[in-house]
Amino acid sequence: MEGELCVSDISDSTGLGQSLVSHHLSILKAVRLVKPRRDGKNIFYAIDDDHVKDIFVQGMNHVAHK
Protein backbone atom coordinates (compact mmCIF):
# COMPACT_ATOMS: atom_id res chain seq x y z
CA MET A 1 0.00 0.00 0.00
CA GLU A 2 2.93 2.33 0.57
CA GLY A 3 5.66 3.04 -1.91
CA GLU A 4 6.70 1.36 -5.12
CA LEU A 5 7.58 -2.22 -6.00
CA CYS A 6 8.95 -3.86 -9.12
CA VAL A 7 7.55 -7.06 -10.63
CA SER A 8 10.21 -9.26 -9.01
CA ASP A 9 9.52 -7.81 -5.54
CA ILE A 10 5.77 -8.37 -5.94
CA SER A 11 6.43 -11.87 -7.25
CA ASP A 12 8.66 -12.71 -4.29
CA SER A 13 6.20 -11.36 -1.71
CA THR A 14 3.14 -13.08 -3.21
CA GLY A 15 4.69 -16.34 -4.38
CA LEU A 16 3.24 -15.79 -7.87
CA GLY A 17 5.28 -16.08 -11.05
CA GLN A 18 6.72 -12.93 -12.57
CA SER A 19 4.81 -13.38 -15.83
CA LEU A 20 1.50 -13.63 -13.94
CA VAL A 21 2.32 -10.56 -11.82
CA SER A 22 3.34 -8.64 -14.94
CA HIS A 23 0.10 -9.61 -16.68
CA HIS A 24 -2.02 -8.50 -13.72
CA LEU A 25 -0.11 -5.23 -13.43
CA SER A 26 -0.69 -4.49 -17.11
CA ILE A 27 -4.43 -4.86 -16.54
CA LEU A 28 -4.32 -2.69 -13.42
CA LYS A 29 -2.29 -0.09 -15.33
CA ALA A 30 -4.80 -0.10 -18.21
CA VAL A 31 -7.63 0.78 -15.84
CA ARG A 32 -5.43 3.31 -14.00
CA LEU A 33 -5.37 1.56 -10.63
CA VAL A 34 -1.56 1.49 -10.57
CA LYS A 35 0.98 3.85 -12.06
CA PRO A 36 4.33 2.80 -13.46
CA ARG A 37 7.69 4.56 -13.13
CA ARG A 38 10.66 3.45 -15.20
CA ASP A 39 14.13 3.49 -13.69
CA GLY A 40 16.59 2.11 -16.22
CA LYS A 41 15.47 -1.41 -17.11
CA ASN A 42 13.15 -1.69 -14.11
CA ILE A 43 9.57 -0.51 -13.87
CA PHE A 44 8.24 0.26 -10.41
CA TYR A 45 4.52 0.22 -9.70
CA ALA A 46 2.53 2.10 -7.08
CA ILE A 47 -1.15 2.48 -6.33
CA ASP A 48 -2.37 5.40 -8.42
CA ASP A 49 -3.82 7.63 -5.67
CA ASP A 50 -5.59 7.74 -2.31
CA HIS A 51 -8.98 7.00 -3.88
CA VAL A 52 -7.65 3.70 -5.20
CA LYS A 53 -6.07 2.91 -1.82
CA ASP A 54 -9.47 3.46 -0.19
CA ILE A 55 -11.08 1.01 -2.63
CA PHE A 56 -8.46 -1.65 -1.88
CA VAL A 57 -8.85 -1.14 1.89
CA GLN A 58 -12.64 -1.41 1.64
CA GLY A 59 -12.30 -4.59 -0.43
CA MET A 60 -9.91 -6.16 2.07
CA ASN A 61 -12.18 -5.19 4.97
CA HIS A 62 -15.10 -6.80 3.16
CA VAL A 63 -13.18 -10.04 2.65
CA ALA A 64 -12.05 -10.08 6.30
CA HIS A 65 -15.59 -9.36 7.54
CA LYS A 66 -16.88 -12.90 6.80
Side-chain angles (χ1 to χ4, degrees):
M1 292 296 265
E2 302 297 325
E4 301 174 319
L5 293 172
C6 65
V7 171
S8 62
D9 291 337
I10 297 170
S11 176
D12 290 344
S13 67
T14 62
L16 300 172
Q18 287 188 10
S19 62
L20 182 60
V21 170
S22 182
H23 175 71
H24 286 184
L25 285 169
S26 68
I27 293 169
L28 294 172
K29 183 176 77 170
V31 295
R32 298 182 323 175
L33 295 179
V34 297
K35 58 185 172 187
R37 180 183 64 82
R38 181 176 291 278
D39 184 13
K41 292 183 179 182
N42 293 318
I43 300 176
F44 292 88
Y45 294 89
I47 294 176
D48 191 67
D49 63 26
D50 288 336
H51 295 106
V52 176
K53 285 181 185 181
D54 292 342
I55 292 167
F56 280 125
V57 168
Q58 287 178 10
M60 294 303 294
N61 288 339
H62 178 74
V63 170
H65 185 260
K66 288 186 176 184

